[in-house]
Amino acid sequence: MGENRRLTSSRFMPAVVISLIVAVLAGLFVGAYSWAMANPVPHRIPVAVTGGSVKGERFVGALENTLRTSLALHPYPDYATARAAVDAQREFAILQRRPAGVDVDVASAAGASVARVLAQGAAAVGRTLGIPVQVRDVKPLPETDPQGLAVFYITLGATILGFVGAIQLGVHALALRPAERIAVTAGYAMLGGLSICAMTDWVLGVVRLPFPQSWGICAFTMFTAGMIFTAFHTLLGRWALVPTWVLLVLLGNPSSGGAVAWPLLPPALGFVGRFLPPGASVSAQRNAIYFPDHQHIEPYVVLAAWCLAATSVFLGWRARHPSGRETAPASAPGAG
C-alpha cells in the first residue's frame, strides 16, 4: 500500500499519464486520417441516369465492377431534371445512355475525389468495352484550387483555432466572468473568421468566397469549437482537451467530407460526419461557394445544436468552471 501511495503521489505521475495519452492520440490521429483518406474506396455513389440503350446498360454494369461499388442509380425523365438534382447535391453525376455511347457528367465542386474516381473509371470502361464515352465536368473547381481542398483547410483552421483560443482563455483570462468569456469567444471567432477568409480570398486568391456568408460560417465554426472545449473544461477540468481533440480532430475532420467526399469514406464515418461541427461547416461553405442557389439548412442546424448544447452546459454548470468560481479575497497588505 505504501509503495502504491508513493507511486501515485510522485511528481512524475502526471507526466507519465500525459505521455501515455499523447502516445495513444498520436497513433489514433494517424490511423483516423489514413483510414479515411489514404486509399478512399467508393461505396454507394448517387448517380442520375437518363436515356436507355444496350451499350449504356453494359457500360453501367462494367463501371460498377471496375469501381468495386454499387452505384445508386436514379432514373430521370430528361437531362434538365437530372442536372437540377446535381445542382441540389442529391446526385454526384449524370449518366446519359445514348444509342452510340455514354455521356458522363461529373461535378468536381460537389466532391473532387468522387468526380475523379468516376471520370477515370468511366474512361477505362469505355476503352475496355469499345464504347465511346464523353466525360464533362459541369461544376468545375477553380484552377487555383483544383483538388477542392480550400474549404477543408478553411474549416480545419477554424476548428482548431476555435478551441485553441478557448484553451488560452482558460490559461490567461481566468478572471473573466461566464458572460464575458462567451463574449470574448465570440469576439475572437469573428476576428479569426475574418482573418481566415481574407487570407484565402483577398491575399492568396485561392478561391473567391461569398465573403459575408463565408466569414459568418467560419466565425460560427470557431465559436462552436471554442464553446465545445469550454463545456468539456467545465465538466472535466484539465482533461478537457482530450475529448475535444477526439471529437473535433480525430473524428470530425476526417469525416467532414472536405478532403475525401462522403461516398468514398467508410459508410459509418461518412454518416457520422454530417452531424459533427467540421462536417457541417464544410457543407455550409461548399454550398455557399459553389451552389449558392441550392443551399441547405441542415449544416446550420447542426452547428447551432452543438453551439447551444455546449453553451448550455457551460452556463448550467458554470460554478464548476474556473471562470465561474468566486475568487478568494486578496490577502491584506503585509499578510504572511
Side-chain angles (χ1 to χ4, degrees):
M1 289 291 292
E3 217 32 67
N4 290 337
R5 191 176 295 110
R6 281 196 297 272
L7 181 62
T8 55
S9 62
S10 168
R11 70 181 187 277
F12 296 107
M13 179 53 67
V16 171
V17 173
I18 290 172
S19 298
L20 291 174
I21 291 174
V22 169
V24 171
L25 290 180
L28 290 175
F29 179 83
V30 173
Y33 278 76
S34 298
W35 179 45
M37 301 178 185
N39 185 27
V41 177
H43 298 280
R44 288 184 61 82
I45 302 177
V47 174
V49 179
T50 64
S53 67
V54 174
K55 288 184 177 180
E57 294 295 337
R58 288 175 57 212
F59 174 86
V60 170
L63 181 61
E64 287 188 315
N65 291 334
T66 298
L67 298 180
R68 295 174 296 162
T69 186
S70 175
L71 298 177
L73 302 175
H74 303 131
Y76 287 82
D78 52 52
Y79 180 81
T81 54
R83 177 60 190 272
V86 170
D87 289 339
Q89 296 187 76
R90 294 194 302 272
E91 312 290 350
F92 277 82
I94 304 171
L95 294 181
Q96 298 182 77
R97 298 177 294 192
R98 303 183 184 278
V102 178
D103 292 349
V104 180
D105 288 0
V106 298
S108 292
S113 51
V114 172
R116 185 164 54 249
V117 165
L118 288 174
Q120 293 173 351
V125 169
R127 288 192 298 269
T128 300
L129 299 180
I131 296 176
V133 175
Q134 181 177 351
V135 178
R136 283 192 312 167
D137 193 341
V138 295
K139 277 284 184 179
L141 291 161
E143 293 182 0
T144 50
D145 182 31
Q147 303 303 318
L149 292 176
V151 169
F152 176 68
Y153 291 129
I154 288 171
T155 299
L156 181 65
T159 301
I160 292 178
L161 271 299
F163 68 75
V164 166
I167 292 171
Q168 293 305 302
L169 287 182
V171 173
H172 301 292
L174 277 177
L176 291 175
R177 296 183 176 91
E180 293 169 342
R181 184 182 180 92
I182 293 172
V184 172
T185 302
Y188 78 64
M190 290 297 294
L191 291 174
L194 175 62
S195 177
I196 290 172
C197 292
M199 179 61 67
T200 303
D201 187 344
W202 299 343
V203 178
L204 300 178
V206 174
V207 62
R208 294 302 172 194
L209 303 174
F211 205 90
Q213 187 175 1
S214 286
W215 178 11
I217 295 166
C218 209
F220 197 5
T221 303
M222 288 190 73
F223 180 72
T224 300
M227 291 312 301
I228 286 173
F229 173 83
T230 303
F232 280 130
H233 196 196
T234 302
L235 298 175
L236 303 175
R238 69 183 67 182
W239 299 108
L241 179 58
V242 174
T244 304
W245 185 265
V246 170
L247 179 70
L248 297 179
V249 179
L250 289 187
L251 187 59
N253 279 316
S255 67
S256 68
V260 175
W262 285 322
L264 272 63
L265 292 172
L269 201 62
F271 175 78
V272 169
R274 293 171 50 193
F275 304 105
L276 295 177
S281 184
V282 164
S283 293
Q285 288 285 9
R286 180 182 288 129
N287 293 343
I289 297 167
Y290 299 114
F291 300 91
D293 298 326
H294 298 84
Q295 299 193 52
H296 303 283
I297 190 65
E298 180 183 286
Y300 300 95
V301 172
V302 170
L303 283 173
W306 280 100
C307 185
L308 180 61
T311 304
S312 298
V313 167
F314 172 53
L315 292 176
W317 283 271
R318 60 185 180 272
R320 296 180 57 178
H321 192 279
S323 66
R325 297 171 189 157
E326 293 294 333
T327 54
S331 300

